[in-house]
Amino acid sequence: MANKANIGDDYSLTRVPQSARQSLWSITIIRVGALATISQFILGVALGYGMTFWQAFWATFLGSVILQIIGFLLGYAGAKEGLSTSLLARWTGFGRHGSSIIGAVIAISCIGWFGVQNSVFAEGIVQSTNGAISMPVAATLTGLGVTVLVIFGFKLLSITASITVPLFLIAISVGIFQTLQGHTISDLMNTAPAGESLSIGVAATMVAGGFIIGAVITPDFSRFAKSGKDVFWMTTIGLLVGELGINMIAVLMALAARTSDVASIMMQTAGWLGVLVVVLSTVKINNLNLYSSSLGFTNIFDSVFKIKLNRGMVTLVIGVIGTILSVLGILDKFTEFLVLLGVLVPPVAGIMVIDYFVLKTHRKALDESRAQGTLPPNTEKLSIVTIIAWAIGFAAGYFITFGIPAINSLIISAVIYYVGKRIENSAKKRYSCKCCLINY
């Protein structure tokens, strides 16, 4: 009975024990699935429409390196501690209440994108049946179908990705082959773009910004990794295949077709396989959206209300809510709001990395509790330095127009947090010394 009660909980509020860690393939295929999507493909098309092949390559490489660094560092911490992003945040600068805010941002962002992506998924079903299945019915079936998959946790996510990722790559290869017929790769690599020119900075911003939330929530999945080496290969292979690979193929297609609407051309030339691309892409990314959203919500209720909810049951509730909203078409109105939430996320990475790897504020407590397979018994509520660093980082990402906004916010928040914590610790030491002198 206990096992049934805990079905789908997936260590949402505890460390993932070594006995539950997964193979390199299991975690890597999920990472590749998160990146190898139709939205990633469309991003590559946009680059190819406004840049030469080599300009697009270096922009993608720069954006990918940034994502690799963030994803690996946070993923390493998640694997070492066996904790999800929002739970790890309690002991990496944000405290109990701050981690609940992170959980809320991630949860709302992911459930919002779940609804938006579910509409895309349902539209693919409608097209494949020539309207025989209506949009509301399709959205209900697709939303609840993905919800059931995610309820059963990480293992089923990995199994689903093992099926959908190869099929996605096969389907997309057919469209690529048909679109590139009559062109040589060497000619396309030297072809001028058809659209308005894009700068390297803007393009790198598009690449880094497109997956920055995915990079920050890396611990949600890397906590199942057996070692830091596995995390490195998971993030590296994911970026090489899903980011650099898909992007550059899409760039070639844009240069060949001389249009920014290559996705539609691919679907037309690939026929039903084109629809399959959309469907498989959405299944993969919506699995991850719903999974991370459920982890965020369980952390919120534990942090704020001291209520330990079962992640599987939380998944069911938010999956139904997201499905209903997508059926009603309400979430289409919230896309700009969801993008704004995305600006809140990069500073989180800056603060967590500085606290865990540089300041090591709670490393001793984490090390001692990890040896016992538990969580540190105490944590601060929320540091004022964290709030200030997060707010300034958000403002930098939102208002500073040059460079890469996501990286501007991340670096500035990291610097502010580091300096602020140093000043705070110095002040505490001086106060402690004064107290000692007075008592003496």
Side-chain angles (χ1 to χ4, degrees):
M1 291 296 292
N3 290 337
K4 289 182 180 179
N6 291 326
I7 190 167
D9 193 54
D10 231 17
Y11 309 100
S12 58
L13 293 172
T14 59
R15 293 181 186 274
V16 177
Q18 284 298 321
S19 60
R21 300 300 176 103
Q22 303 294 311
S23 66
L24 176 59
W25 168 264
S26 296
I27 60 173
T28 301
I29 197 68
I30 289 179
R31 186 67 166 196
V32 172
L35 282 159
T37 63
I38 196 66
S39 57
Q40 186 70 41
F41 190 82
I42 292 171
L43 169 61
V45 168
L47 298 186
Y49 190 62
M51 310 181 86
T52 65
F53 176 86
W54 288 111
Q55 286 173 334
F57 172 83
W58 288 114
T60 302
F61 181 78
L62 176 58
S64 295
V65 166
I66 292 165
L67 293 173
Q68 170 70 2
I69 293 170
I70 297 169
F72 172 69
L73 289 176
L74 290 179
Y76 176 87
K80 184 175 182 180
E81 304 300 340
L83 301 175
S84 65
T85 300
S86 53
L87 199 55
L88 179 65
R90 292 189 190 182
W91 297 281
T92 51
F94 287 87
R96 178 174 287 273
H97 296 324
S99 71
S100 66
I101 297 173
I102 292 175
V105 171
I106 292 173
I108 294 171
S109 295
C110 290
I111 192 61
W113 287 119
F114 168 83
V116 172
Q117 292 279 354
N118 189 54
S119 298
V120 176
F121 189 178
E123 186 59 41
I125 299 296
V126 172
Q127 288 182 21
S128 65
T129 60
N130 292 320
I133 298 179
S134 66
M135 183 64 181
V137 172
T140 301
L141 292 174
T142 55
L144 295 182
V146 170
T147 299
V148 171
L149 287 176
V150 178
I151 283 176
F152 291 94
F154 184 91
K155 286 186 178 180
L156 197 54
L157 291 184
S158 182
I159 292 171
T160 304
S162 295
I163 297 169
T164 56
V165 169
L167 287 175
F168 174 80
L169 294 176
I170 291 170
I172 210 169
S173 295
V174 173
I176 293 165
F177 175 76
Q178 296 191 11
T179 303
L180 296 184
Q181 280 185 326
H183 301 275
T184 65
I185 301 297
S186 59
D187 285 344
L188 292 176
M189 290 173 69
N190 294 295
T191 299
E196 187 175 339
S197 178
L198 274 176
S199 70
I200 296 287
V202 169
T205 298
M206 292 165 64
V207 173
F211 194 67
I212 190 68
I213 293 180
V216 173
I217 62 173
T218 300
D220 288 355
F221 308 98
S222 70
R223 65 199 177 108
F224 287 94
K226 293 179 180 179
S227 66
K229 184 171 70 173
D230 281 6
V231 176
F232 172 79
W233 286 116
M234 175 193 78
T235 53
T236 302
I237 293 171
L239 284 172
L240 287 176
V241 176
E243 188 87 45
L244 202 58
I246 295 294
N247 264 22
M248 299 321 298
I249 288 170
V251 166
L252 289 173
M253 291 184 71
L255 291 169
R258 315 300 293 165
T259 176
S260 61
D261 198 20
V262 176
S264 295
I265 293 174
M266 183 187 68
M267 289 179 197
Q268 291 168 11
T269 56
W272 64 270
L273 278 175
V275 176
L276 187 63
V277 168
V278 176
V279 171
L280 294 177
S281 169
T282 313
V283 168
K284 293 187 289 88
I285 197 64
N286 255 1
N287 281 349
L288 306 186
N289 279 334
L290 197 55
Y291 187 75
S292 285
S293 184
S294 66
L295 291 174
F297 276 117
T298 55
N299 182 63
I300 293 169
F301 277 88
D302 182 53
S303 297
V304 179
F305 306 110
K306 306 291 179 67
I307 299 174
K308 297 186 182 298
L309 296 177
N310 179 278
R311 191 203 60 82
M313 293 306 298
V314 171
T315 299
L316 178 60
V317 172
I318 60 179
V320 169
I321 292 172
T323 299
I324 291 172
L325 292 178
S326 66
V327 168
L328 296 176
I330 293 175
L331 285 169
D332 292 337
K333 315 293 183 186
F334 293 150
T335 302
E336 289 185 7
F337 171 66
L338 294 172
V339 172
L340 180 64
L341 284 180
V343 183
L344 282 170
V345 175
V348 171
I351 293 168
M352 289 180 69
V353 167
I354 288 296
D355 194 274
Y356 189 82
F357 291 99
V358 181
L359 297 175
K360 302 180 180 180
T361 309
H362 299 284
R363 285 292 286 275
K364 183 180 178 181
L366 284 168
D367 290 343
E368 291 174 350
S369 61
R370 185 174 64 253
Q372 299 172 2
T374 60
L375 295 176
N378 301 311
T379 180
E380 60 187 349
K381 292 183 178 180
L382 177 61
S383 167
I384 187 66
V385 175
T386 301
I387 296 174
I388 293 171
W390 196 358
I392 294 176
F394 168 74
Y398 190 78
F399 292 108
I400 296 177
T401 56
F402 61 87
I404 302 175
I407 305 310
N408 291 341
S409 63
L410 187 150
I411 293 175
I412 290 173
S413 63
V415 171
I416 296 294
Y417 181 73
Y418 176 79
V419 173
K421 272 296 182 182
R422 284 288 187 162
I423 294 172
E424 182 183 64
N425 291 337
S426 260
K428 284 180 179 178
K429 285 181 181 178
R430 285 198 299 270
Y431 177 76
S432 178
C433 288
K434 285 182 181 179
C435 288
C436 290
L437 289 172
I438 291 171
N439 291 331
Y440 180 78

